[in-house]
Amino acid sequence: MSMIFCNTLYSSSPSSLSPLTSTRTEPSRFPKNLKPRAQFQSMEDHDDHLRLKFMEFPYVSPTRKQLMVDLMSTVENRLQSQLLPCNLPPDVRNFKNPNGSAEASLHIRSGQKSSPIDFVIGSWIHCKIPTGVSLNITSISAFLNSSTKAPNFVVELIQSSPESLVLILDLPHRKDLVLNPDYLKEYYQDTALDSHRQSLLKLPEVKPYVSPSLFVRSAFSPTASMLKIDAEEEEKLEKILRDHVSPAAKEVLEVWLERCAKEEEEKRVIGEEERMELERRDKSFRRKSIEEDLDLQFPRMFGEDVSSRVVHAIKEAFGVL
């Protein structure tokens, strides 16, 4: 959903999740206690199928797909004990518009109650634009809850040409950086996050990207890599993704996993007033992101019915219904 979701989904029938039933005309050959186990296995297999569908990232280059798979796999593997299974309905996890010109996949996993992880969201979205080009967006974001003040994580690649794309890579801050200089030092200066942006900008094909949205610009940190990559050839873009963007994204993710998601519990002691302020800020950010992005773009891409269903599920996951 270009910020969070445009920063995402193929249609899967809910009927495939219907419970197993026994026939009345012939006794089952299996013990009764195996039926719930078989039903659970069927649902588990279906969940695996939907996750694999998401992890296909089918409309992007092999290099970009590998990057997104590596990042999502790292997040899930490192946070596995802190994450709940994805419980989105099948027609929200994979969907498309009636004429097939837009298709998307969405994967959301909430955190355990004892975890500082609020939720992790991954998505890809493919849309054929009337001008003849295709828009392909891939995104992964991780949001922390109010038990910690540490930053969130976001990586998003937006592409409408084989030779160019926009990269957004950041640990978006959750505290005012002017009022909290120690926060700026701890999460941004001491971790040398700005070095990744600076290194990428040394490439002649890379220029700063300025979002037309003032809200988007205000939401990211001073160290955010908001960049436009213009290469003369598709192969050149692939090389930049493989040799420069991929290492930077993985290093920023590693900083987030080690310094934010794994923050020691004693460092996460937060007073009630600060906790309430974090909750207000987080909800305001998520609500505004949906308003600026999904509420405007999804009806155009997927039609009112599909859009309403999917956006409702996202709002529920974001806690802003």
Side-chain angles (χ1 to χ4, degrees):
M1 311 173 208
S2 174
M3 196 37 207
I4 294 186
F5 193 158
C6 250
N7 264 355
T8 120
L9 293 159
Y10 189 56
S11 182
S12 183
S13 172
S15 63
S16 56
L17 280 177
S18 24
L20 301 177
T21 56
S22 60
T23 176
R24 295 183 178 181
T25 58
E26 181 179 343
S28 172
R29 297 184 294 110
F30 301 101
K32 290 182 179 180
N33 64 349
L34 287 184
K35 292 179 186 177
R37 189 183 306 169
Q39 178 178 331
F40 176 80
Q41 185 63 49
S42 175
M43 295 177 69
E44 194 175 54
D45 291 344
H46 189 70
D47 179 76
D48 289 343
H49 168 75
L50 291 172
R51 183 182 180 280
L52 288 173
K53 179 66 182 177
F54 158 68
M55 293 289 270
E56 286 178 0
F57 295 99
Y59 295 98
V60 300
S61 70
T63 303
R64 183 172 165 189
K65 173 184 175 177
Q66 190 61 56
L67 170 60
M68 301 308 294
V69 169
D70 287 348
L71 293 174
M72 195 69 201
S73 298
T74 299
V75 169
E76 292 193 300
N77 291 339
R78 296 275 289 275
L79 301 178
Q80 187 61 44
S81 63
Q82 302 183 55
L83 299 176
L84 297 169
C86 180
N87 63 357
L88 294 174
D91 59 358
V92 170
R93 293 180 68 170
N94 296 106
F95 58 89
K96 58 184 177 181
N97 66 3
N99 64 18
S101 63
E103 183 180 350
S105 182
L106 177 64
H107 186 67
I108 300 178
R109 295 184 64 178
S110 298
Q112 300 274 5
K113 286 186 177 180
S114 59
S115 167
I117 309 299
D118 201 354
F119 60 90
V120 173
I121 174 171
S123 61
W124 56 258
I125 183 166
H126 166 77
C127 182
K128 296 176 183 175
I129 300 174
T131 56
V133 302
S134 292
L135 176 67
N136 288 297
I137 303 170
T138 54
S139 174
I140 298 170
S141 298
F143 292 81
L144 298 172
N145 59 35
S146 59
S147 70
T148 175
K149 64 183 184 296
N152 297 318
F153 169 81
V154 60
V155 59
E156 184 168 2
L157 293 97
I158 307 163
Q159 188 170 15
S160 58
S161 162
E163 299 86 19
S164 67
L165 59 76
V166 170
L167 167 69
I168 299 175
L169 175 64
D170 191 31
L171 304 188
H173 54 286
R174 298 169 64 218
K175 301 279 289 184
D176 188 294
L177 300 180
V178 175
L179 295 177
N180 300 274
D182 290 344
Y183 188 94
L184 178 68
K185 182 178 186 301
E186 178 179 2
Y187 294 111
Y188 300 100
Q189 291 178 339
D190 291 352
T191 56
L193 279 182
D194 202 40
S195 63
H196 305 293
R197 181 186 64 86
Q198 293 175 6
S199 294
L200 289 168
L201 280 172
K202 290 178 181 178
L203 300 174
E205 297 85 1
V206 178
K207 298 291 185 291
Y209 169 73
V210 180
S211 170
S213 167
L214 292 176
F215 168 70
V216 170
R217 283 187 249 167
S218 70
F220 290 105
S221 81
T223 64
S225 294
M226 299 184 67
L227 307 171
K228 177 73 177 295
I229 305 173
D230 275 310
E232 295 180 356
E233 299 176 350
E234 189 173 351
E235 292 77 10
K236 181 63 175 177
L237 180 60
E238 289 292 283
K239 180 175 173 56
I240 293 172
L241 284 174
R242 181 178 61 252
D243 297 344
H244 301 280
V245 173
S246 181
K250 291 175 181 179
E251 289 175 23
V252 171
L253 175 60
E254 185 64 25
V255 169
W256 183 82
L257 288 168
E258 288 296 320
R259 299 290 291 266
C260 304
K262 275 182 63 177
E263 193 172 51
E264 296 88 348
E265 192 168 350
E266 55 268 23
K267 288 184 65 177
R268 291 197 277 119
V269 176
I270 290 180
E272 188 59 29
E273 185 176 343
E274 186 177 11
R275 183 189 300 273
M276 291 177 64
E277 181 60 31
L278 280 167
E279 289 180 358
R280 283 195 295 269
R281 189 186 189 284
D282 288 346
K283 286 190 175 182
S284 177
F285 170 80
R286 297 171 192 180
R287 188 177 292 112
K288 185 65 175 176
S289 297
I290 292 173
E291 289 174 359
E292 291 238 337
D293 185 14
L294 305 188
D295 284 343
L296 291 175
Q297 302 300 333
F298 259 39
R300 302 174 189 173
M301 292 181 179
F302 296 100
E304 290 293 340
D305 290 344
V306 174
S307 174
S308 176
R309 179 177 72 242
V310 174
V311 172
H312 183 276
I314 294 170
K315 287 180 178 179
E316 185 174 18
F318 282 21
V320 295
L321 271 181

Short mmCIF file of all heavy atoms in Angstrom, two decimals, residues 70-115:
data_model
loop_
_atom_site.label_atom_id
_atom_site.label_comp_id
_atom_site.label_asym_id
_atom_site.label_seq_id
_atom_site.Cartn_x
_atom_site.Cartn_y
_atom_site.Cartn_z
N ASP A 70 13.39 -12.97 0.01
CA ASP A 70 14.43 -13.01 1.05
C ASP A 70 14.02 -12.16 2.25
O ASP A 70 14.18 -12.57 3.41
CB ASP A 70 15.76 -12.50 0.50
CG ASP A 70 16.42 -13.49 -0.45
OD1 ASP A 70 15.97 -14.65 -0.51
OD2 ASP A 70 17.39 -13.08 -1.14
N LEU A 71 13.51 -10.96 1.99
CA LEU A 71 13.13 -10.07 3.09
C LEU A 71 11.96 -10.63 3.88
O LEU A 71 11.98 -10.64 5.12
CB LEU A 71 12.77 -8.69 2.53
CG LEU A 71 13.91 -7.88 1.91
CD1 LEU A 71 13.38 -6.60 1.28
CD2 LEU A 71 14.98 -7.54 2.96
N MET A 72 10.92 -11.11 3.18
CA MET A 72 9.75 -11.64 3.88
C MET A 72 10.10 -12.90 4.65
O MET A 72 9.65 -13.09 5.79
CB MET A 72 8.62 -11.93 2.87
CG MET A 72 7.27 -12.15 3.53
SD MET A 72 6.65 -10.58 4.22
CE MET A 72 5.46 -11.20 5.44
N SER A 73 10.91 -13.76 4.07
CA SER A 73 11.32 -14.99 4.75
C SER A 73 12.14 -14.67 5.99
O SER A 73 11.97 -15.31 7.05
CB SER A 73 12.14 -15.88 3.80
OG SER A 73 11.36 -16.27 2.69
N THR A 74 13.02 -13.67 5.90
CA THR A 74 13.82 -13.28 7.05
C THR A 74 12.93 -12.76 8.18
O THR A 74 13.11 -13.13 9.35
CB THR A 74 14.84 -12.19 6.66
OG1 THR A 74 15.73 -12.72 5.67
CG2 THR A 74 15.64 -11.72 7.86
N VAL A 75 11.98 -11.90 7.84
CA VAL A 75 11.06 -11.37 8.86
C VAL A 75 10.30 -12.50 9.54
O VAL A 75 10.25 -12.58 10.78
CB VAL A 75 10.08 -10.36 8.22
CG1 VAL A 75 8.96 -10.02 9.20
CG2 VAL A 75 10.80 -9.10 7.80
N GLU A 76 9.71 -13.40 8.75
CA GLU A 76 8.90 -14.46 9.34
C GLU A 76 9.75 -15.46 10.11
O GLU A 76 9.33 -15.94 11.18
CB GLU A 76 8.09 -15.16 8.24
CG GLU A 76 7.02 -14.28 7.65
CD GLU A 76 6.02 -15.05 6.81
OE1 GLU A 76 6.45 -15.67 5.81
OE2 GLU A 76 4.82 -15.03 7.15
N ASN A 77 10.91 -15.79 9.61
CA ASN A 77 11.77 -16.76 10.31
C ASN A 77 12.30 -16.19 11.63
O ASN A 77 12.33 -16.88 12.65
CB ASN A 77 12.93 -17.19 9.41
CG ASN A 77 12.48 -18.04 8.25
OD1 ASN A 77 11.41 -18.65 8.28
ND2 ASN A 77 13.28 -18.08 7.20
N ARG A 78 12.71 -14.94 11.60
CA ARG A 78 13.29 -14.34 12.82
C ARG A 78 12.22 -14.01 13.87
O ARG A 78 12.51 -14.00 15.07
CB ARG A 78 14.06 -13.08 12.43
CG ARG A 78 15.27 -13.35 11.54
CD ARG A 78 16.50 -13.72 12.33
NE ARG A 78 17.03 -12.58 13.05
CZ ARG A 78 17.86 -11.68 12.52
NH1 ARG A 78 18.26 -11.79 11.25
NH2 ARG A 78 18.31 -10.68 13.25
N LEU A 79 11.01 -13.72 13.41
CA LEU A 79 9.94 -13.35 14.35
C LEU A 79 8.92 -14.46 14.54
O LEU A 79 7.86 -14.23 15.12
CB LEU A 79 9.23 -12.09 13.84
CG LEU A 79 10.08 -10.84 13.64
CD1 LEU A 79 9.22 -9.70 13.10
CD2 LEU A 79 10.76 -10.42 14.95
N GLN A 80 9.22 -15.66 14.05
CA GLN A 80 8.24 -16.74 13.98
C GLN A 80 7.50 -16.96 15.29
O GLN A 80 6.26 -17.08 15.32
CB GLN A 80 8.93 -18.04 13.56
CG GLN A 80 7.98 -19.20 13.30
CD GLN A 80 6.99 -18.90 12.18
OE1 GLN A 80 7.36 -18.38 11.14
NE2 GLN A 80 5.73 -19.21 12.41
N SER A 81 8.22 -17.01 16.42
CA SER A 81 7.59 -17.29 17.71
C SER A 81 6.70 -16.14 18.18
O SER A 81 5.89 -16.30 19.09
CB SER A 81 8.66 -17.57 18.77
OG SER A 81 9.47 -16.43 18.98
N GLN A 82 6.85 -14.96 17.57
CA GLN A 82 6.08 -13.79 17.99
C GLN A 82 4.87 -13.53 17.11
O GLN A 82 4.09 -12.62 17.39
CB GLN A 82 6.97 -12.55 17.98
CG GLN A 82 8.20 -12.65 18.87
CD GLN A 82 8.99 -11.36 18.87
OE1 GLN A 82 8.46 -10.29 19.17
NE2 GLN A 82 10.26 -11.44 18.53
N LEU A 83 4.73 -14.29 16.02
CA LEU A 83 3.68 -14.01 15.05
C LEU A 83 2.59 -15.07 15.06
O LEU A 83 2.85 -16.26 15.21
CB LEU A 83 4.27 -13.93 13.64
CG LEU A 83 5.31 -12.83 13.39
CD1 LEU A 83 5.87 -12.96 11.97
CD2 LEU A 83 4.71 -11.45 13.61
N LEU A 84 1.35 -14.61 14.88
CA LEU A 84 0.21 -15.51 14.70
C LEU A 84 0.05 -15.81 13.22
O LEU A 84 0.54 -15.06 12.36
CB LEU A 84 -1.06 -14.83 15.23
CG LEU A 84 -1.08 -14.51 16.73
CD1 LEU A 84 -2.28 -13.61 17.05
CD2 LEU A 84 -1.13 -15.78 17.55
N PRO A 85 -0.63 -16.92 12.87
CA PRO A 85 -0.86 -17.22 11.45
C PRO A 85 -1.73 -16.13 10.80
O PRO A 85 -2.48 -15.43 11.48
CB PRO A 85 -1.61 -18.56 11.49
CG PRO A 85 -1.33 -19.13 12.84
CD PRO A 85 -1.17 -17.97 13.76
N CYS A 86 -1.60 -16.00 9.50
CA CYS A 86 -2.46 -15.08 8.75
C CYS A 86 -3.90 -15.61 8.79
O CYS A 86 -4.16 -16.76 8.47
CB CYS A 86 -1.98 -14.97 7.30
SG CYS A 86 -2.98 -13.87 6.28
N ASN A 87 -4.84 -14.77 9.22
CA ASN A 87 -6.23 -15.22 9.32
C ASN A 87 -7.17 -14.42 8.42
O ASN A 87 -8.37 -14.36 8.64
CB ASN A 87 -6.72 -15.16 10.77
CG ASN A 87 -6.73 -13.73 11.32
OD1 ASN A 87 -6.32 -12.80 10.63
ND2 ASN A 87 -7.20 -13.57 12.55
N LEU A 88 -6.61 -13.80 7.38
CA LEU A 88 -7.46 -13.08 6.42
C LEU A 88 -8.30 -14.06 5.62
O LEU A 88 -7.85 -15.18 5.32
CB LEU A 88 -6.58 -12.28 5.45
CG LEU A 88 -5.78 -11.11 6.01
CD1 LEU A 88 -4.87 -10.54 4.93
CD2 LEU A 88 -6.70 -10.03 6.55
N PRO A 89 -9.51 -13.68 5.22
CA PRO A 89 -10.31 -14.54 4.34
C PRO A 89 -9.60 -14.76 3.01
O PRO A 89 -8.85 -13.89 2.55
CB PRO A 89 -11.61 -13.73 4.14
CG PRO A 89 -11.63 -12.74 5.25
CD PRO A 89 -10.20 -12.43 5.57
N PRO A 90 -9.83 -15.91 2.37
CA PRO A 90 -9.17 -16.19 1.08
C PRO A 90 -9.41 -15.12 0.03
O PRO A 90 -8.51 -14.81 -0.74
CB PRO A 90 -9.77 -17.53 0.67
CG PRO A 90 -10.17 -18.18 1.94
CD PRO A 90 -10.62 -17.07 2.85
N ASP A 91 -10.61 -14.53 0.00
CA ASP A 91 -10.90 -13.52 -1.03
C ASP A 91 -10.35 -12.15 -0.68
O ASP A 91 -10.54 -11.18 -1.42
CB ASP A 91 -12.40 -13.45 -1.32
CG ASP A 91 -13.23 -13.09 -0.09
OD1 ASP A 91 -12.65 -12.93 1.01
OD2 ASP A 91 -14.46 -12.97 -0.22
N VAL A 92 -9.64 -12.06 0.43
CA VAL A 92 -8.89 -10.85 0.76
C VAL A 92 -7.40 -11.09 0.58
O VAL A 92 -6.65 -10.19 0.19
CB VAL A 92 -9.18 -10.39 2.21
CG1 VAL A 92 -8.25 -9.28 2.65
CG2 VAL A 92 -10.64 -9.94 2.33
N ARG A 93 -6.97 -12.31 0.79
CA ARG A 93 -5.55 -12.65 0.63
C ARG A 93 -5.15 -12.66 -0.84
O ARG A 93 -4.00 -12.35 -1.18
CB ARG A 93 -5.25 -14.00 1.27
CG ARG A 93 -5.39 -13.99 2.77
CD ARG A 93 -5.09 -15.33 3.40
NE ARG A 93 -3.69 -15.70 3.28
CZ ARG A 93 -3.16 -16.73 3.92
NH1 ARG A 93 -3.91 -17.49 4.70
NH2 ARG A 93 -1.87 -17.02 3.78
N ASN A 94 -6.08 -13.03 -1.72
CA ASN A 94 -5.82 -13.01 -3.17
C ASN A 94 -7.08 -12.51 -3.87
O ASN A 94 -8.16 -13.05 -3.66
CB ASN A 94 -5.49 -14.41 -3.68
CG ASN A 94 -4.20 -14.95 -3.10
OD1 ASN A 94 -4.21 -15.82 -2.24
ND2 ASN A 94 -3.07 -14.43 -3.55
N PHE A 95 -6.95 -11.49 -4.71
CA PHE A 95 -8.14 -10.96 -5.39
C PHE A 95 -7.74 -10.26 -6.68
O PHE A 95 -6.57 -9.92 -6.91
CB PHE A 95 -8.92 -10.01 -4.46
CG PHE A 95 -8.13 -8.84 -3.95
CD1 PHE A 95 -8.07 -7.65 -4.65
CD2 PHE A 95 -7.45 -8.94 -2.74
CE1 PHE A 95 -7.35 -6.58 -4.17
CE2 PHE A 95 -6.73 -7.86 -2.25
CZ PHE A 95 -6.68 -6.68 -2.96
N LYS A 96 -8.74 -10.03 -7.52
CA LYS A 96 -8.54 -9.30 -8.77
C LYS A 96 -9.84 -8.59 -9.12
O LYS A 96 -10.90 -8.85 -8.54
CB LYS A 96 -8.12 -10.25 -9.90
CG LYS A 96 -9.09 -11.37 -10.19
CD LYS A 96 -8.52 -12.30 -11.26
CE LYS A 96 -9.45 -13.50 -11.50
NZ LYS A 96 -8.88 -14.41 -12.53
N ASN A 97 -9.77 -7.69 -10.08
CA ASN A 97 -10.99 -6.98 -10.49
C ASN A 97 -11.76 -7.81 -11.51
O ASN A 97 -11.24 -8.81 -12.04
CB ASN A 97 -10.66 -5.57 -11.01
CG ASN A 97 -9.86 -5.60 -12.30
OD1 ASN A 97 -9.57 -6.66 -12.86
ND2 ASN A 97 -9.49 -4.42 -12.78
N PRO A 98 -13.02 -7.45 -11.80
CA PRO A 98 -13.85 -8.28 -12.67
C PRO A 98 -13.28 -8.53 -14.06
O PRO A 98 -13.47 -9.60 -14.63
CB PRO A 98 -15.17 -7.50 -12.74
CG PRO A 98 -15.22 -6.74 -11.46
CD PRO A 98 -13.79 -6.37 -11.18
N ASN A 99 -12.58 -7.56 -14.65
CA ASN A 99 -12.07 -7.76 -16.01
C ASN A 99 -10.64 -8.29 -16.05
O ASN A 99 -10.07 -8.45 -17.13
CB ASN A 99 -12.19 -6.46 -16.83
CG ASN A 99 -11.33 -5.35 -16.27
OD1 ASN A 99 -10.40 -5.59 -15.50
ND2 ASN A 99 -11.63 -4.12 -16.66
N GLY A 100 -10.06 -8.53 -14.89
CA GLY A 100 -8.73 -9.14 -14.84
C GLY A 100 -7.57 -8.21 -15.09
O GLY A 100 -6.43 -8.66 -15.22
N SER A 101 -7.81 -6.91 -15.14
CA SER A 101 -6.72 -5.97 -15.42
C SER A 101 -5.92 -5.60 -14.18
O SER A 101 -4.86 -4.98 -14.28
CB SER A 101 -7.29 -4.69 -16.06
OG SER A 101 -8.16 -4.03 -15.16
N ALA A 102 -6.43 -5.98 -13.02
CA ALA A 102 -5.71 -5.72 -11.77
C ALA A 102 -5.78 -6.95 -10.89
O ALA A 102 -6.83 -7.58 -10.76
CB ALA A 102 -6.29 -4.51 -11.04
N GLU A 103 -4.65 -7.29 -10.29
CA GLU A 103 -4.56 -8.49 -9.46
C GLU A 103 -3.64 -8.19 -8.28
O GLU A 103 -2.69 -7.43 -8.42
CB GLU A 103 -4.00 -9.65 -10.29
CG GLU A 103 -3.91 -10.97 -9.56
CD GLU A 103 -3.34 -12.07 -10.45
OE1 GLU A 103 -3.20 -11.85 -11.67
OE2 GLU A 103 -3.04 -13.15 -9.92
N ALA A 104 -3.93 -8.79 -7.14
CA ALA A 104 -3.13 -8.47 -5.97
C ALA A 104 -3.11 -9.61 -4.96
O ALA A 104 -3.95 -10.51 -5.00
CB ALA A 104 -3.64 -7.19 -5.31
N SER A 105 -2.14 -9.55 -4.04
CA SER A 105 -2.02 -10.54 -2.97
C SER A 105 -1.63 -9.83 -1.68
O SER A 105 -0.81 -8.91 -1.70
CB SER A 105 -0.98 -11.60 -3.33
OG SER A 105 -0.89 -12.59 -2.34
N LEU A 106 -2.23 -10.26 -0.59
CA LEU A 106 -2.03 -9.61 0.70
C LEU A 106 -1.75 -10.66 1.77
O LEU A 106 -2.42 -11.68 1.84
CB LEU A 106 -3.27 -8.80 1.06
CG LEU A 106 -3.32 -8.10 2.42
CD1 LEU A 106 -2.24 -7.03 2.50
CD2 LEU A 106 -4.70 -7.48 2.63
N HIS A 107 -0.76 -10.38 2.62
CA HIS A 107 -0.36 -11.31 3.68
C HIS A 107 -0.13 -10.51 4.95
O HIS A 107 0.77 -9.67 5.00
CB HIS A 107 0.92 -12.04 3.25
CG HIS A 107 1.38 -13.12 4.18
ND1 HIS A 107 0.66 -14.29 4.37
CD2 HIS A 107 2.48 -13.22 4.98
CE1 HIS A 107 1.32 -15.07 5.22
NE2 HIS A 107 2.42 -14.44 5.62
N ILE A 108 -1.00 -10.72 5.96
CA ILE A 108 -0.87 -10.00 7.22
C ILE A 108 -0.79 -11.00 8.37
O ILE A 108 -1.61 -11.91 8.47
CB ILE A 108 -2.07 -9.05 7.48
CG1 ILE A 108 -2.18 -8.00 6.36
CG2 ILE A 108 -1.91 -8.35 8.82
CD1 ILE A 108 -3.37 -7.06 6.52
N ARG A 109 0.20 -10.82 9.24
CA ARG A 109 0.33 -11.64 10.44
C ARG A 109 0.43 -10.74 11.66
O ARG A 109 1.33 -9.90 11.76
CB ARG A 109 1.55 -12.56 10.35
CG ARG A 109 1.45 -13.58 9.23
CD ARG A 109 2.64 -14.53 9.22
NE ARG A 109 2.69 -15.33 10.44
CZ ARG A 109 3.61 -16.27 10.67
NH1 ARG A 109 4.55 -16.49 9.75
NH2 ARG A 109 3.61 -16.96 11.79
N SER A 110 -0.50 -10.91 12.58
CA SER A 110 -0.50 -10.12 13.81
C SER A 110 0.51 -10.70 14.79
O SER A 110 0.87 -11.88 14.72
CB SER A 110 -1.89 -10.12 14.45
OG SER A 110 -2.83 -9.53 13.58
N GLY A 111 0.94 -9.88 15.74
CA GLY A 111 1.87 -10.33 16.75
C GLY A 111 1.17 -10.96 17.94
O GLY A 111 0.00 -10.67 18.22
N GLN A 112 1.88 -11.84 18.65
CA GLN A 112 1.38 -12.38 19.90
C GLN A 112 1.17 -11.25 20.91
O GLN A 112 1.83 -10.20 20.83
CB GLN A 112 2.37 -13.39 20.47
CG GLN A 112 2.66 -14.58 19.57
CD GLN A 112 1.65 -15.71 19.75
OE1 GLN A 112 0.67 -15.59 20.49
NE2 GLN A 112 1.91 -16.83 19.07
N LYS A 113 0.26 -11.45 21.86
CA LYS A 113 -0.02 -10.40 22.84
C LYS A 113 1.22 -10.00 23.64
O LYS A 113 1.36 -8.85 24.04
CB LYS A 113 -1.12 -10.87 23.80
CG LYS A 113 -2.51 -10.88 23.17
CD LYS A 113 -3.58 -11.19 24.19
CE LYS A 113 -4.97 -11.13 23.56
NZ LYS A 113 -6.04 -11.43 24.53
N SER A 114 2.10 -10.96 23.89
CA SER A 114 3.30 -10.68 24.67
C SER A 114 4.42 -10.05 23.85
O SER A 114 5.47 -9.69 24.38
CB SER A 114 3.82 -11.97 25.31
OG SER A 114 4.12 -12.93 24.29
N SER A 115 4.20 -9.91 22.55
CA SER A 115 5.24 -9.44 21.64
C SER A 115 5.12 -7.94 21.40
O SER A 115 4.02 -7.38 21.42
CB SER A 115 5.13 -10.19 20.30
OG SER A 115 5.91 -9.56 19.31
#
